[in-house]
Amino acid sequence: MRERTKKRLPAMLCAACLLLAVMCSCGTPATETSVPPSEPDISATQPEPVQASAPEPAVSADSVLEASSQEPEETEFVDDWVWPVDTPDAALSLWYAYPPFFPNFYDSADEFPAWVYCQEKTGIDIQFEECTFMNAQENLTLMIASGSYTDMLFNMSNYVTTNLEYAVNESIVVDIAPYIEAHAPNYARYFFSDDTYVKQATTDQGYIPAVYQLNDVAANEGINKSGPVIRSDWLEQSGLELPATYDEYHEVLVAFQQFCDHPFWLPYTGGYLGAMFSGGFGVSAEISSSRSFIQEDGKVVFCPTQDGFRDYLSLMHQWYTEGLINPDFASNTQNAYAPTNDEIVNEEIGVWSSAANLMDFTNLGNPNVVVVASTNPVQKKGDTTVFGDKTAALGAELCITTDCRNVELAMRWCDWWYTEDGYYTTNYGIEGESFVFDDQGNPQYTELILNPQGDMTVNIAQSLYTCGNGMLLGVQDPKRAYQWYTPDKVEAEKLWGTVDLATGLMPRVSMTAEESAVFSSRFSDISTYLQQIVPQFIIGTEPLENWDVYVENIEAMGLAECLSVEQAALDRYNAR
């Protein structure tokens, strides 16, 4: 264990320790089954049961959650395990899809510094079966179809339509609910500290099918991680203010044509993640099973058939015909979510959507590129949009498959990421390399992160040397990026957070096996159709006069069944 001075830890940890004491005095959580897991092979190093007597009077769960919002007291992490494990030849296999920039710096995921350090500390060898984001869906689908799985799957639900409850019922992944307290006590302290985590992680049948990366809900209130950005130097030279409405954005884009040919960057799908630029019409233009459906006062709505979606397409078509959008946007399939650095530093675009941690381009060879955050456009001044890129309570997920012969060992490996060592590794990397502790015992990034060399940006450096930005598990420190954020980045997240982030977006619902089968078969055809026709509407090869036919086609593909399934799942979620 690293030696360090006493530190102030997140309030959620203090609440977590209280809640674990309550749980130990009151029994197991409701999500547990009555059948205990088999005894682990690592019994020699299994922690002693947590001894906690019930306080007088008994502490309620409500008081624990209230404590999580108060100023934390000084405390220390508690880790009951002995590391490394004493299990001979401890090894686990992990399926992992790495981001596009990864191969530019590493040949294999097992070279990733944080994972090398984790293996050294835990004594557990992780054997990777890896692929890129781009072929992850095909790769994982083939694995599942084969019936032979790695021990663990990272972010499975991102790449296949199978929901995790169905995956448990089909004996693909394990329900970890019976294992959490005994075999992941560090994770349990965090996980059971906020009922938001438990509600979102638990399926309708009471399964907890994954270990989740956890985000501090209270600390992220009023924060939106991404939104529109604009070339501020071009804005100043044009004598214009930051736009707020669609008309004002149009004025800015027309003015920017003096600096580049096609100033508005649009994803090849025709819509941004998080309803950027479409939220002002009351719809999400992201084509996905999770974001195409929204809720309005408890009723599920399918955005691509709404009038607001047609209005959005009409506006994008206008901007396209005026040359504000690259005529080849629909063929740029390699960049689904954001423009390339080359497009930005070569001054080919002036307005796009970005995250705050991606707003600095000074080390990429063109210091003239200066951007500023702007609000999502609305139709009239004073309107608000109900969509955004809010940090979810649950982040990345890791499932343990039914092919894993030592579930207890897998849970223990996951649990390491929620120890003190794991907390600092996932957020700050390796002590003495990517971070050091200051005189007050607070972690501070080193120049390795703050001043990266070559083509590496700060954001990439942080991802490569830590496990932040959804790269793996752990409890995410929401303030870690503020060490290198300039004031404009901090303000950007607050500006983007002025929308009602909780309204509209669907929560993590779960479907029954029957519902999942129906939804997957119907939505697969609908999604394929949308990916083809939405860009055609924008380009004009499919005229918007054919809107009614388009809606009828989607309805004929089984939209009513998809809506019925989503509504039933939402009703069950709200009743939890």
Side-chain angles (χ1 to χ4, degrees):
M1 183 67 64
R2 304 165 181 166
E3 294 183 3
R4 48 173 65 89
T5 58
K6 182 177 282 191
K7 293 161 287 299
R8 298 176 69 83
L9 301 175
M12 61 185 290
L13 178 60
C14 303
C17 295
L18 278 172
L19 186 55
L20 191 63
V22 174
M23 289 164 48
C24 291
S25 63
C26 299
T28 56
T31 54
E32 284 208 9
T33 65
S34 59
V35 181
S38 58
E39 289 300 312
D41 294 338
I42 53 176
S43 57
T45 54
Q46 184 177 338
E48 292 295 322
V50 178
Q51 300 297 319
S53 58
E56 298 290 345
V59 179
S60 68
D62 288 341
S63 66
V64 172
L65 296 179
E66 181 181 354
S68 69
S69 64
Q70 297 173 356
E71 182 70 14
E73 298 177 359
E74 289 194 357
T75 186
E76 288 286 344
F77 280 88
V78 178
D79 184 13
D80 301 305
W81 293 116
V82 175
W83 304 100
V85 301
D86 63 358
T87 306
D89 302 319
L92 297 163
S93 56
L94 171 64
W95 181 89
Y96 181 80
Y98 51 76
F101 59 78
F102 203 95
N104 295 331
F105 304 96
Y106 297 113
D107 293 328
S108 175
D110 58 15
E111 298 176 8
F112 190 54
W115 291 344
V116 172
Y117 180 81
C118 174
Q119 179 170 324
E120 172 191 334
K121 292 298 180 179
T122 63
I124 301 172
D125 179 27
I126 299 300
Q127 300 163 356
F128 289 93
E129 181 167 328
E130 52 194 305
C131 62
T132 68
F133 277 1
M134 303 306 295
N135 64 2
Q137 182 175 3
E138 178 183 7
N139 187 288
L140 186 55
T141 300
L142 290 173
M143 176 188 289
I144 292 173
S146 74
S148 179
Y149 323 121
T150 54
D151 294 325
M152 301 179 292
L153 304 173
F154 183 65
N155 272 346
M156 169 186 174
S157 61
N158 281 7
Y159 305 110
V160 294
T161 55
T162 300
N163 70 66
L164 296 186
E165 182 170 79
Y166 178 81
V168 173
N169 287 327
E170 292 298 303
S171 298
I172 299 171
V173 305
V174 173
D175 172 20
I176 68 165
Y179 297 85
I180 293 177
E181 285 187 72
H183 306 294
N186 295 291
Y187 178 65
R189 290 187 183 99
Y190 283 109
F191 181 69
F192 292 117
S193 71
D194 192 318
D195 59 355
T196 302
Y197 299 138
V198 181
K199 181 177 181 179
Q200 293 191 10
T202 306
T203 71
D204 295 325
Q205 292 181 253
Y207 303 142
I208 299 179
V211 176
Y212 289 93
Q213 182 187 67
L214 303 177
N215 296 304
D216 192 326
V217 178
N220 283 292
E221 191 65 33
I223 297 296
N224 205 9
K225 295 297 183 181
S226 63
V229 294
I230 296 179
R231 282 287 299 266
S232 57
D233 53 330
W234 292 357
L235 201 64
E236 183 178 355
Q237 293 176 48
S238 302
L240 297 173
E241 301 291 332
L242 280 173
T245 66
Y246 286 106
D247 287 342
E248 290 172 349
Y249 266 91
H250 178 261
E251 182 183 10
V252 166
L253 291 170
V254 171
F256 279 9
Q257 283 186 303
Q258 65 182 301
F259 306 110
C260 67
D261 292 334
H262 315 292
F264 184 68
W265 192 89
L266 185 67
Y268 74 90
T269 58
Y272 274 99
L273 298 178
M276 306 300 169
F277 296 100
S278 64
F281 292 107
V283 295
S284 165
E286 177 185 342
I287 307 303
S288 70
S289 59
S290 60
R291 290 298 181 93
S292 292
F293 295 88
I294 62 172
Q295 57 171 322
E296 295 180 353
D297 299 323
K299 180 182 178 181
V300 177
V301 175
F302 186 60
C303 289
T305 57
Q306 303 304 301
D307 289 345
F309 196 84
R310 179 180 57 192
D311 295 338
Y312 167 76
L313 292 177
S314 178
L315 181 67
M316 291 299 102
H317 174 64
Q318 175 194 334
W319 288 5
Y320 180 87
T321 57
E322 293 177 3
L324 303 177
I325 298 172
N326 191 314
D328 299 322
F329 84 93
S331 60
N332 187 20
T333 57
Q334 296 302 309
N335 303 301
Y337 308 121
T340 64
N341 285 335
D342 285 345
E343 289 175 293
I344 296 170
V345 299
N346 291 338
E347 306 193 56
E348 297 173 13
I349 54 175
V351 177
W352 66 97
S353 179
S354 179
N357 58 0
L358 298 176
M359 288 173 59
D360 189 358
F361 308 99
T362 55
N363 65 332
L364 296 181
N366 189 346
N368 295 325
V369 178
V370 182
V371 301
V372 64
S374 185
T375 58
N376 267 302
V378 292
Q379 298 183 59
K380 304 189 304 290
K381 279 190 179 296
D383 287 353
T384 58
T385 175
V386 296
F387 299 105
D389 185 20
K390 181 181 181 180
T391 298
L394 302 182
E397 83 210 13
L398 188 139
C399 296
I400 300 172
T401 74
T402 52
D403 276 1
C404 180
R405 291 178 293 178
N406 196 336
V407 175
E408 296 83 2
L409 182 67
M411 287 295 293
R412 182 167 174 184
W413 180 80
C414 292
D415 197 49
W416 180 84
W417 294 98
Y418 301 87
T419 65
E420 180 178 23
D421 232 5
Y423 174 83
Y424 288 109
T425 302
T426 197
N427 286 291
Y428 297 98
I430 313 301
E431 184 179 357
E433 295 181 18
S434 56
F435 85 98
V436 295
F437 287 100
D438 62 20
D439 293 340
Q440 288 73 45
N442 299 311
Q444 302 292 332
Y445 285 127
T446 65
E447 289 295 291
L448 190 67
I449 303 295
L450 300 178
N451 188 26
Q453 302 301 306
D455 293 334
M456 187 181 295
T457 64
V458 174
N459 186 60
I460 290 177
Q462 187 187 46
S463 296
L464 292 177
Y465 289 103
T466 76
C467 289
N469 303 320
M471 293 285 281
L472 202 60
L473 299 176
V475 177
Q476 294 295 287
D477 179 356
K479 306 301 183 185
R480 66 193 185 280
Y482 287 0
Q483 292 187 28
W484 56 271
Y485 270 19
T486 51
D488 62 311
K489 294 183 176 67
V490 177
E491 291 305 312
E493 292 190 348
K494 294 178 180 178
L495 176 66
W496 295 328
T498 55
V499 299
D500 184 359
L501 298 173
T503 305
L505 299 180
M506 288 282 287
R508 283 176 177 259
V509 300
S510 61
M511 303 175 186
T512 66
E514 293 77 12
E515 289 171 341
S516 181
V518 170
F519 183 87
S520 296
S521 64
R522 305 297 187 271
F523 190 73
S524 177
D525 292 339
I526 293 173
S527 176
T528 299
Y529 177 63
L530 288 171
Q531 290 173 15
Q532 294 171 348
I533 199 167
V534 167
Q536 293 174 4
F537 276 135
I538 294 173
I539 294 170
T541 53
E542 182 71 32
L544 278 169
E545 287 76 13
N546 293 341
W547 175 263
D548 290 341
V549 175
Y550 152 82
V551 172
E552 291 171 1
N553 289 340
I554 293 177
E555 290 174 342
M557 294 176 188
L559 174 60
E561 292 170 284
C562 291
L563 284 168
S564 177
V565 167
E566 288 277 7
Q567 186 66 57
L570 178 63
D571 291 343
R572 290 194 302 269
Y573 176 88
N574 289 333
R576 288 180 189 172

